Amino acid sequence: MSELFLALRRLLVDDYHGLKERLGRRFGSFDFATEVLHEAWLRLQRADAGTSATAVKNPRSYLYRVALNIAADRRRSERSRLAAADVEAIHLRAQDDLDPARIAEARLELAALAGAINAMPERRRAIFVAARLEGLPYKMIAARLGVTVRVVDRELAIALEHLSKIWENSDAGGGTGGRGPSRT
């Protein structure tokens, strides 16, 4: 048994409460400090078995540095793992997203939206598609269609109002059985 590691373990036992106090204040948890010190004890024991000892000028500082390194490793490890609640929430959301009823409902909503867009007059539909789906500025749409920016603005407002009414009056508009969104 190496004298250095034996001395470090003895120091850890002798100064356990002081080290726990320092680490607990630094990391905001005395339970965490306890876990770190237990891990430090195990590391010192493993190091004793497999590592040649080198001189340590200040054993107390060395021991504290070992504990800080262990704490940093644990914090990094905790941040990189998802909590069980996070995993469960992701799992439930994935199941919900893959629910056949929900998929069918989304397809119906998409079909209703496509039907409403296709029911618009040709120029209004072109303006809506250019503005909302292609993201073009009004000025560019006006130049493309040979109209004024004011016409683009007015036609888009009418298109959006049309889609809003269709949405409210369909089952897609909030899933309220054709009555539009709930007003409760």
Side-chain angles (χ1 to χ4, degrees):
M1 216 180 243
S2 166
E3 289 296 319
L4 172 65
F5 292 111
L6 183 61
L8 287 171
R9 284 197 308 272
R10 205 172 314 125
L11 178 61
L12 177 63
V13 170
D14 292 344
D15 196 25
Y16 181 82
H17 295 292
L19 284 167
K20 181 178 172 182
E21 185 73 25
R22 275 179 81 185
L23 291 168
R25 279 193 313 262
R26 180 169 182 141
F27 294 105
S29 170
F30 291 102
D31 291 335
F32 182 71
T34 300
E35 292 174 16
V36 166
L37 289 174
H38 289 172
E39 177 67 25
W41 172 266
L42 293 173
R43 279 198 189 173
L44 289 172
Q45 195 163 359
R46 283 191 305 258
D48 186 24
T51 307
S52 63
T54 58
V56 174
K57 293 179 184 176
N58 187 339
R60 193 174 306 275
S61 294
Y62 179 83
L63 192 55
Y64 188 65
R65 176 52 49 200
V66 167
L68 289 177
N69 289 340
I70 291 169
D73 291 346
R74 282 179 160 255
R75 292 287 171 139
R76 265 192 304 275
S77 176
E78 287 172 5
R79 277 193 303 262
S80 67
R81 279 186 262 145
L82 289 175
D86 295 334
V87 172
E88 182 65 21
I90 291 169
H91 179 70
L92 289 175
R93 178 146 188 207
Q95 284 180 331
D96 195 30
D97 287 347
L98 297 176
D99 179 31
R102 190 167 175 162
I103 292 170
E105 182 181 335
R107 285 183 179 154
L108 287 173
E109 290 174 1
L110 188 57
L113 179 61
I117 291 170
N118 288 331
M120 291 181 202
E122 187 177 337
R123 183 173 74 181
R124 189 171 298 147
R125 182 176 54 244
I127 290 172
F128 174 79
V129 169
R132 294 296 188 232
L133 302 180
E134 296 175 24
L136 296 178
Y138 289 10
K139 192 173 186 177
M140 190 179 286
I141 297 168
R144 178 193 281 183
L145 298 175
V147 297
T148 65
V149 172
R150 187 172 180 198
V151 169
V152 170
D153 188 43
R154 186 180 71 235
E155 288 288 342
L156 187 58
I158 293 169
L160 292 173
E161 181 65 27
H162 167 74
L163 292 176
S164 178
K165 285 180 183 174
I166 298 287
W167 191 260
E168 286 178 4
N169 293 328
S170 74
D171 284 339
T176 56
R179 296 183 316 246
S182 171
R183 291 181 175 32
T184 56

